[in-house]
Amino acid sequence: MLVKAKGDLQAVSASRLRDGVAVWLSAGHRWMEDVADAGAFTGAALQQALAVAQADSAAGLVVDVYPLDVAVADGRTRPLHVRERMKARGPSVRPDLGKQAVTPAISRAPERAA
């Protein structure tokens, strides 16, 4: 984990082991490829989400599980840290690479200063 989550609202990120794709845990505890679909957790719900993620890591489904600070606007979860936004989209200087290249809605999502 490179970024330490310290906000009140957090999501859970990981990399899917079979293909290395960045994924985020949904409110229903399913791994999603779009950070906008990530669950935003607090308190006991966050601890439960982390426990589910750690169990999936132990089962070999995902690796590098960690919480990240997020905000929710218009029903979409958005990372607050620039590193996490780049993980979700792709490199900011190469919009032709990463998830933003294959999912245009990701690149059109408005930025929010962290």
Side-chain angles (χ1 to χ4, degrees):
M1 171 172 51
L2 297 175
V3 178
K4 294 188 178 191
K6 53 189 170 194
D8 292 333
L9 198 57
Q10 298 178 10
V12 178
S13 179
S15 294
R16 194 167 46 212
L17 192 56
R18 70 177 157 89
D19 57 11
V21 170
V23 290
W24 294 267
L25 197 62
S26 72
H29 296 167
R30 294 185 57 213
W31 292 105
M32 310 303 285
E33 292 188 12
D34 188 343
V35 70
D37 298 326
F41 306 101
T42 62
L46 175 61
Q47 297 309 313
Q48 184 181 14
L50 286 168
V52 168
Q54 291 296 342
D56 285 351
S57 179
L61 300 175
V62 294
V63 295
D64 193 26
V65 170
Y66 63 92
L68 62 139
D69 292 332
V70 296
V72 177
D74 299 325
R76 299 176 57 89
T77 302
R78 297 179 35 79
L80 295 181
H81 194 277
V82 67
R83 177 192 180 273
E84 297 302 327
R85 288 196 299 267
M86 289 176 67
K87 180 178 178 178
R89 291 180 174 182
S92 60
V93 296
R94 291 285 310 269
D96 58 320
L97 299 176
K99 292 182 179 182
Q100 62 192 341
V102 294
T103 309
I106 290 174
S107 64
R108 289 193 306 262
E111 285 295 328
R112 178 178 175 270

